[in-house]
């Protein structure tokens, strides 16, 4: 009898229930899309920020201003350079897969046409391969990815994997204009150790001081300076998790952490834990975060998550108000039917259960449709904003289900109050 009455309501009031289902579907779709994007936006934004260069700099201990951050004794480990063979150790840390790109650099002042010019030697598209403890590590890396915003005005990127790759150079746009240099020209550079003649393969525009520099391969720069197999710093671009209270505490001094805190911090891709692990494998160096990028990432992520939370909240409030109006209207239309049920002995609880069953079934159908619609919305957002799909979390389905049930129950409160106030004698005798 109970389910026959429920079915009868769906047959008679299908238009009203369809509107309720659509209202629920709209709220569920927005909540699904926003929650999935919120859970995945950290990694997506981190990948976007990688386009703005390195977020970790590794320098010799003698140059590190905050080397005491991890209680490293500078007198115990002190150097003016990092050996080039140590660069590959970056691939052996716990979070090696989160290191997107890296490039060692060494810089110096050289003479170009009698004038002092800054020269930077680095990896462009370097193929790194080495063996440690029986394991083979390899990676193609360099500044072609780390300087992805460079605009090549003339020529092409330097290809160091060419047979004579270390005989080339790239010149900044300002220097190229001043010295009248174009792609294809040969320039003579006088260094501390020797003189080299390099062919300019490209003129780049960076938008900063680098437009006055010359970039060449690391090996060519090492020959000019006489610092074979040595580098002055390593730029690292790592995908990191935004800092929280644990990360801030660990950044001050990891030794202050409890055992459980240390394990959690070490096994989370915080920029501070990645820096710490880099120092473990390259003890003569100090790894520090480029705070402008790391801090910006956290602030942007917080504001983005706040915005999506507000959108989700407003959509749920809107769904609640819509459900409230529609359910109350449906109950008012059925006032005579419900009053008759009371007249024949039905209790308020039984009638309330009947109405709630109808509404919850409708809400479930709407929520299911809204979830899949939200999946589509999330993918549209991912492709439009980040040019990549959004990973859907199973946890979101549970959260959305709980939220929709809460919204449905809250939205049904005015209708339930209407049911409780119904007086069969008044309704059936024309009082309403």
């Amino acid at each position: 009898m109970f389910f026959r009455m429920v079915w009868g309501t769906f047959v008679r009031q299908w238009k009203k229930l369809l509107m309720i289902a659509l209202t629920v579907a709209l709220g569920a779709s927005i909540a699904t899309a926003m929650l999935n994007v919120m859970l995945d936006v950290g990694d997506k934004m981190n990948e976007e920020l990688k386009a703005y260069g390195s977020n970790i700099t590794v320098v010799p201990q003698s140059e590190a201003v905050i080397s005491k951050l991890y209680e490293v004794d500078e007198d115990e480990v002190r150097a003016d350079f990092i050996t080039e063979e140590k660069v590959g150790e970056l691939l052996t840390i716990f979070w090696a897969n989160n290191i997107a790109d890296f490039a060692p650099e060494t810089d110096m002042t050289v003479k170009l046409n009698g004038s002092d010019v800054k020269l930077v030697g680095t990896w462009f598209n370097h193929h790194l391969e080495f063996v440690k403890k029986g394991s083979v590590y390899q990676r193609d890396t360099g500044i072609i990815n780390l300087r992805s915003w460079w605009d090549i005005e003339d020529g092409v990127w330097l290809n160091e994997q060419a047979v004579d790759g270390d005989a080339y150079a790239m010149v900044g746009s300002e220097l190229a204009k001043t010295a009248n240099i174009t792609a294809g020209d040969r320039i003579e550079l006088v260094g501390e150790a020797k003189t080299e003649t390099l062919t300019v393969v490209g003129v780049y525009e960076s938008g900063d001081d680098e437009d006055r520099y010359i970039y060449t391969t690391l090996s060519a720069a090492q020959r000019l300076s006489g610092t074979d197999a040595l580098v002055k710093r390593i730029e690292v671009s790592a995908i990191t998790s935004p800092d929280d209270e644990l990360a801030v505490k660990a950044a001050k001094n990891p030794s202050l952490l409890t055992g459980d805190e240390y394990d959690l911090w070490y096994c989370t891709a915080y920029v501070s834990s990645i820096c710490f692990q880099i120092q473990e494998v390259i003890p003569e160096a100090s790894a520090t975060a480029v705070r402008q990028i790391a801090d910006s990432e956290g602030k942007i992520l917080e504001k983005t998550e706040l915005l999506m939370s507000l959108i989700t909240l407003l959509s749920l409030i809107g769904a609640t108000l819509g459900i409230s109006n529609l359910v109350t209207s449906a109950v008012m239309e059925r006032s005579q039917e419900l009053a008759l049920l009371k007249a024949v002995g039905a209790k308020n609880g039984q009638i309330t259960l009947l109405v709630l069953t109808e509404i919850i079934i409708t809400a479930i159908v709407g929520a299911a449709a809204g979830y899949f619609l939200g999946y589509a919305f999330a993918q549209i957002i991912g492709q439009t904003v980040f040019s990549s799909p959004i990973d859907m979390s199973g946890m979101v389905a549970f959260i959305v289900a709980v939220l929709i049930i809460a919204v449905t129950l809250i939205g049904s409160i005015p209708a339930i109050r209407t049911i409780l106030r119904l007086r069969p004698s008044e309704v059936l005798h024309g009082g309403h």
Side-chain angles (χ1 to χ4, degrees):
M1 180 67 178
F2 180 83
F3 289 105
R4 285 179 61 189
M5 295 180 67
V6 171
W7 176 251
T9 301
F10 277 100
V11 172
R12 293 190 306 274
Q13 289 195 310
W14 67 271
K15 291 182 180 179
K16 190 76 68 176
L17 295 176
L18 177 61
M19 290 299 298
I20 294 174
L22 291 176
T23 301
V24 172
L26 181 60
S29 65
I30 295 176
T32 298
M34 291 298 102
L35 290 173
N36 277 294
V37 172
M38 192 185 308
L39 291 175
D40 199 36
V41 72
D43 291 340
K44 292 289 187 293
M45 190 169 295
N46 220 314
E47 292 172 3
E48 289 290 319
L49 287 172
K50 296 292 99 51
Y52 296 95
S54 60
N55 55 353
I56 296 175
T57 301
V58 184
V59 297
Q61 281 286 352
S62 59
E63 294 185 16
V65 178
I66 55 173
S67 60
K68 293 183 180 180
L69 180 64
Y70 302 113
E71 294 188 338
V72 178
D73 188 350
E74 291 190 14
D75 293 330
E76 181 178 316
V77 182
R78 189 177 182 87
D80 294 321
F81 292 92
I82 301 171
T83 55
E84 187 177 350
E85 64 179 10
K86 286 286 189 178
V87 177
E89 297 289 343
L90 293 172
L91 300 180
T92 67
I93 68 171
F94 181 83
W95 284 109
N97 289 335
N98 278 50
I99 295 181
D101 288 287
F102 56 93
E105 291 185 354
T106 188
D107 57 65
M108 69 210 69
T109 300
V110 297
K111 293 287 187 180
L112 172 65
N113 299 329
S115 301
D116 288 340
V117 175
K118 185 171 182 178
L119 175 75
V120 180
T122 187
W123 289 350
F124 286 82
N125 56 335
H126 187 80
H127 178 71
L128 173 65
E129 184 173 346
F130 74 103
V131 179
K132 182 177 181 180
K133 296 180 179 179
S135 298
V136 178
Y137 300 90
Q138 55 183 342
R139 179 79 67 86
D140 287 325
T141 185
I143 67 164
I144 288 181
N145 291 325
L146 288 174
R147 300 289 194 279
S148 59
W149 69 89
W150 276 11
D151 180 27
I152 307 301
E153 295 185 342
D154 184 21
V156 296
W157 276 99
L158 191 156
N159 177 18
E160 71 172 80
Q161 295 188 28
V163 176
D164 54 348
D166 62 351
Y168 299 115
M170 297 184 70
V171 178
S173 57
E174 290 188 20
L175 178 59
K177 291 177 182 177
T178 302
N180 194 26
I181 298 173
T182 59
D185 291 348
R186 291 172 61 82
I187 56 175
E188 184 179 81
L189 303 178
V190 181
E192 294 181 5
K194 64 179 303 186
T195 299
E196 291 266 341
T197 299
L198 305 177
T199 300
V200 177
V201 294
V203 176
Y204 64 86
E205 181 180 10
S206 66
D208 54 30
D209 291 342
E210 292 178 332
D211 286 337
R212 296 188 291 271
Y213 298 172
I214 297 175
Y215 271 78
T216 187
T217 61
L218 185 61
S219 56
Q222 288 170 340
R223 291 196 304 270
L224 283 162
S225 62
T227 54
D228 291 342
L230 298 175
V231 300
K232 286 190 175 181
R233 62 184 169 275
I234 308 170
E235 290 193 12
V236 181
S237 176
I239 298 174
T240 61
S241 299
D243 283 354
D244 53 18
E245 292 182 5
L246 177 61
V248 173
K249 181 179 179 181
K252 294 178 181 177
N253 193 338
S255 64
L256 299 178
L257 302 177
T258 65
D260 291 341
E261 287 177 333
Y262 181 88
D263 291 340
L264 177 59
W265 168 73
Y266 195 90
C267 296
T268 304
Y270 297 122
V271 67
S272 56
S273 62
I274 293 178
C275 287
F276 182 78
Q277 292 168 26
I278 290 174
Q279 290 189 182
E280 285 185 316
V281 297
I282 311 179
E284 68 268 29
S286 177
T288 57
V290 180
R291 296 315 311 179
Q292 294 93 329
I293 295 179
D295 292 344
S296 295
E297 176 186 323
K299 292 177 182 178
I300 295 173
L301 184 60
E302 288 177 3
K303 292 179 180 179
T304 303
E305 290 180 342
L306 176 60
L307 175 62
M308 289 187 289
S309 297
L310 289 175
I311 293 174
T312 302
L313 178 61
L314 291 174
S315 70
L316 293 175
I317 291 174
T320 302
L321 294 175
I323 291 172
S324 177
N325 290 331
L326 291 169
V327 174
T328 302
S329 174
V331 168
M332 293 300 295
E333 289 179 7
R334 299 171 60 192
S335 59
Q336 289 190 338
E337 174 194 344
L338 299 178
L340 183 60
L341 288 174
K342 280 191 175 185
V344 298
K347 304 297 184 182
N348 283 331
Q350 293 173 318
I351 298 175
T352 300
L353 179 62
L354 173 66
V355 173
L356 285 180
T357 300
E358 297 165 355
I359 302 305
I360 289 176
I361 292 175
T362 304
I364 290 173
V365 174
Y371 179 81
F372 291 105
L373 186 60
Y375 174 85
F377 284 163
Q379 300 313 313
I380 291 173
I381 293 172
Q383 293 294 342
T384 303
V385 179
F386 302 107
S387 299
S388 62
I390 297 293
D391 294 331
M392 302 299 286
S393 172
M395 180 176 64
V396 170
F398 174 77
I399 295 174
V400 170
V402 172
L403 290 175
I404 291 302
I405 290 174
V407 164
T408 302
L409 293 177
I410 294 172
S412 300
I413 290 175
I416 294 172
R417 293 177 63 184
T418 300
I419 293 172
L420 297 177
R421 289 198 300 264
L422 279 177
R423 298 285 185 266
S425 58
E426 296 177 358
V427 174
L428 297 176
H429 290 84
H432 278 73

